[in-house]
Amino acid sequence: MIKKVLQEQNPHWNGMLITYAQREKFATLVRYLPLKQIITITGIRRCGKSTLAKTAIHHLIETGVNPKNILFVNLEQPFFLEYRHDATYLETIYEEYLKLLGPMGKIYVIFDEIQFFENWQVYLKSKYESSDIKFIITGSNSSMLSNDLGTLLTGRSLNIHLDTFSFAEFLDFYRIDYSDELARLSNKIAILRAKEEYLRWGGFYEVFTVEEPLAKKELLISYAKNIIYRDIVPRYGIRNSESIERLFFYLIGNACTMLNYTTLASIFELSDKTIKEYIHYFEETFLVSRIDRFHTKPKERIKSMKKIYVKDNGFLQILPKFSDNLGAALENGVFNVLWQKYESLTYLKDTYEIDFYTDKTLYQVSYDIRDEKTKKRELNAFDAFKKGDESCKLITYETDKVLGDVEVVSFERFALQ
């Protein structure tokens, strides 16, 4: 049976190569392939980790590697369920592969969703040190790196974090040219339509390639519940699974706002500590992210009230009613662009509030600034916080202009910079 599973998961052994959508992180993957270190690909479920790993197979074969020297194993395949508590079974899989194909020379092994097996890192460390195998592993939990992998494999791994499709990747998929100003003008209508779709439904491949809104919504709900009930509840031994699901859906409805743990604890009849733990689990599985209020003292930043955002805009649509709040969708979309670019992202708050602050730049988000009161409020916020050589960017849905020392930028221009 195991031989049949391996044959089904490795069609390239029989000359079948599938072409996948190109991702921006593919260049990094190619750069890491010649190196000894284990390549780890982390990201939320269904964001394309397996597909990115499979593009490595395509690349290796194109550059002369024998297809039989590449093993791909999806460890969440039901056949492996009874063995998930026994990491030595990973060696059994590898030995069966050797018996089946007898590969000669350097071998490439891809373990997809490796966190499915307990103590996988112990097996990987021993194999890494005793063989010349190039490992690529994927996982849907950030602690796979910080805890599981970091302890035993320090200095032995290189990570690629993959998010859902960026707006640029979204346009590339639909072959909408945005390469220069002329192309953007020629494709203005197509880009505007793509922007509305992207901000509303996000960048999950399976979601944006389905046309029916209800089908999109059902897919996103299934993704969220899969993560909660397959990655969080069993891993952390959570008994009150209904509460953690309800909390996630509540947070989705309050994205882009301040978190008040005491209020949440009261609503869900849980302790502050439990609420914080649950939100941390959502972060580890890449469902949400929190940002701190900026402060020069690290201790004060840690103690500050957090703002919460979802890691893909599509999740904003999974509440009972579809959301027409493109203002929140725009702010959340801007957050995701910045989060992918900068390690440190905060907000500023006093009398006024600045949505995001990083790298000496203040970012404010406003869907529409045609109303004079709205425009004045946003510009006053910049005046309240700007210091020295800091720059100011006001991200809007569709306006591009300069107002004094403030650059007003449409979402598409901002996301494609």
Side-chain angles (χ1 to χ4, degrees):
M1 177 62 180
I2 186 173
K3 290 180 180 178
K4 183 182 178 183
V5 171
L6 294 181
Q7 286 177 323
E8 288 174 351
Q9 293 194 3
N10 292 271
H12 58 276
W13 293 346
N14 298 314
M16 292 177 60
L17 285 179
I18 302 170
T19 301
Y20 298 99
Q22 189 84 306
R23 302 297 302 273
E24 293 165 352
K25 295 295 177 71
F26 176 68
T28 304
L29 179 59
V30 169
R31 197 167 71 247
Y32 288 170
L33 280 173
L35 306 177
K36 166 70 174 171
Q37 282 88 350
I38 297 163
I39 298 173
T40 64
I41 305 174
T42 56
I44 191 170
R45 278 185 180 272
R46 314 306 299 170
C47 72
K49 299 184 301 297
S50 307
T51 301
L52 181 62
K54 288 175 180 177
T55 60
I57 296 175
H58 206 297
H59 172 79
L60 289 168
I61 293 171
E62 283 184 338
T63 53
V65 175
N66 188 327
K68 294 182 178 180
N69 281 42
I70 307 168
L71 170 65
F72 177 92
V73 189
N74 174 8
L75 294 172
E76 284 197 316
Q77 212 269 0
F79 173 79
F80 299 121
L81 182 61
E82 63 180 296
Y83 307 106
R84 63 176 302 183
H85 302 297
D86 180 13
T88 61
Y89 194 76
L90 294 171
E91 179 64 16
T92 301
I93 295 171
Y94 181 68
E95 288 176 354
E96 287 296 328
Y97 156 69
L98 295 180
K99 290 178 194 175
L100 184 63
L101 296 183
M104 302 291 290
K106 187 176 182 66
I107 293 172
Y108 298 81
V109 175
I110 302 168
F111 283 137
D112 191 28
E113 296 294 356
I114 198 166
Q115 79 281 344
F116 185 73
F117 268 70
E118 293 178 5
N119 299 315
W120 56 268
Q121 65 277 20
V122 178
Y123 165 77
L124 223 61
K125 181 176 183 288
S126 65
K127 211 68 180 170
Y128 177 90
E129 294 177 342
S130 64
S131 66
D132 189 32
I133 301 169
K134 176 66 178 185
F135 283 103
I136 301 173
I137 60 175
T138 80
S140 302
N141 194 302
S142 65
S143 68
M144 184 178 104
L145 286 180
S146 58
N147 301 327
D148 303 343
L149 203 150
T151 305
L152 286 174
L153 297 171
T154 304
R156 299 178 178 91
S157 67
L158 294 165
N159 180 242
I160 297 172
H161 177 73
L162 190 67
D163 291 293
T164 57
F165 276 56
S166 68
F167 186 55
E169 290 173 324
F170 187 81
L171 294 179
D172 287 339
F173 177 81
Y174 284 109
R175 299 182 180 178
I176 301 172
D177 188 6
Y178 58 90
S179 56
D180 54 36
E181 201 62 35
L182 181 60
R184 293 183 192 188
L185 284 170
S186 300
N187 296 305
K188 183 177 180 180
I189 301 301
I191 291 173
L192 286 174
R193 287 174 178 163
K195 173 177 64 174
E196 182 174 351
E197 175 75 5
Y198 182 78
L199 285 174
R200 191 178 299 277
W201 289 108
F204 281 107
Y205 173 82
E206 289 175 320
V207 174
F208 68 69
T209 53
V210 169
E211 289 191 15
E212 175 56 46
L214 283 174
K216 292 175 184 283
K217 183 175 179 177
E218 289 301 319
L219 274 173
L220 288 159
I221 290 171
S222 72
Y223 292 170
K225 289 190 175 182
N226 252 344
I227 292 168
I228 291 168
Y229 290 105
R230 294 179 68 180
D231 294 335
I232 296 177
V233 170
R235 180 181 176 91
Y236 301 105
I238 294 170
R239 296 177 183 176
N240 194 352
S241 57
E242 182 183 346
S243 286
I244 195 169
E245 180 186 329
R246 285 174 55 233
L247 174 63
F248 175 70
F249 279 80
Y250 182 89
L251 293 175
I252 290 297
N254 291 273
C256 311
T257 65
M258 302 285 182
L259 279 175
N260 187 312
Y261 299 118
T262 303
T263 300
L264 289 171
S266 175
I267 291 171
F268 293 97
E269 298 180 344
L270 299 168
S271 67
D272 286 22
K273 180 175 180 291
T274 299
I275 291 290
K276 290 177 183 177
E277 285 175 351
Y278 285 0
I279 295 175
H280 176 65
Y281 301 154
F282 296 149
E283 286 184 312
E284 286 204 323
T285 49
F286 311 108
L287 282 167
V288 304
S289 286
R290 288 172 288 184
I291 64 172
D292 300 326
R293 178 180 174 181
F294 176 79
H295 201 286
T296 54
K297 296 179 180 178
K299 185 178 178 181
E300 293 301 318
R301 281 183 58 173
I302 292 169
K303 288 165 56 181
S304 69
M305 287 189 75
K306 317 299 180 192
K307 286 180 74 176
I308 190 159
Y309 295 89
V310 292
K311 295 303 292 293
D312 185 86
N313 267 37
F315 286 128
L316 298 174
Q317 298 294 338
I318 67 176
L319 297 175
K321 291 184 179 180
F322 289 117
S323 173
D324 289 321
N325 186 359
L326 278 180
L330 178 64
E331 182 176 339
N332 201 84
V334 169
F335 161 79
N336 280 314
V337 173
L338 293 171
W339 188 260
Q340 292 172 27
K341 289 183 179 180
Y342 300 104
E343 290 184 7
S344 176
L345 186 62
T346 58
Y347 71 92
L348 300 169
K349 188 172 177 61
D350 199 347
T351 304
Y352 291 92
E353 182 178 335
I354 291 290
D355 294 316
F356 306 109
Y357 178 63
T358 187
D359 196 34
K360 288 193 173 182
T361 303
L362 288 75
Y363 296 91
Q364 194 73 318
V365 183
S366 182
Y367 185 82
D368 189 347
I369 58 166
R370 284 177 295 182
D371 179 76
E372 281 299 318
K373 287 184 179 179
T374 301
K375 182 167 69 175
K376 186 176 180 180
R377 182 184 68 238
E378 307 298 358
L379 295 179
N380 284 346
F382 286 123
D383 290 338
F385 288 106
K386 186 178 184 303
K387 297 176 183 176
D389 59 349
E390 292 175 333
S391 58
C392 302
K393 290 192 178 185
L394 176 55
I395 317 302
T396 67
Y397 186 72
E398 58 185 359
T399 305
D400 290 291
K401 63 165 75 172
V402 175
L403 295 172
D405 58 357
V406 176
E407 183 184 1
V408 183
V409 189
S410 61
F411 175 78
E412 63 268 30
R413 188 172 293 276
F414 164 72
L416 297 173
Q417 282 176 343

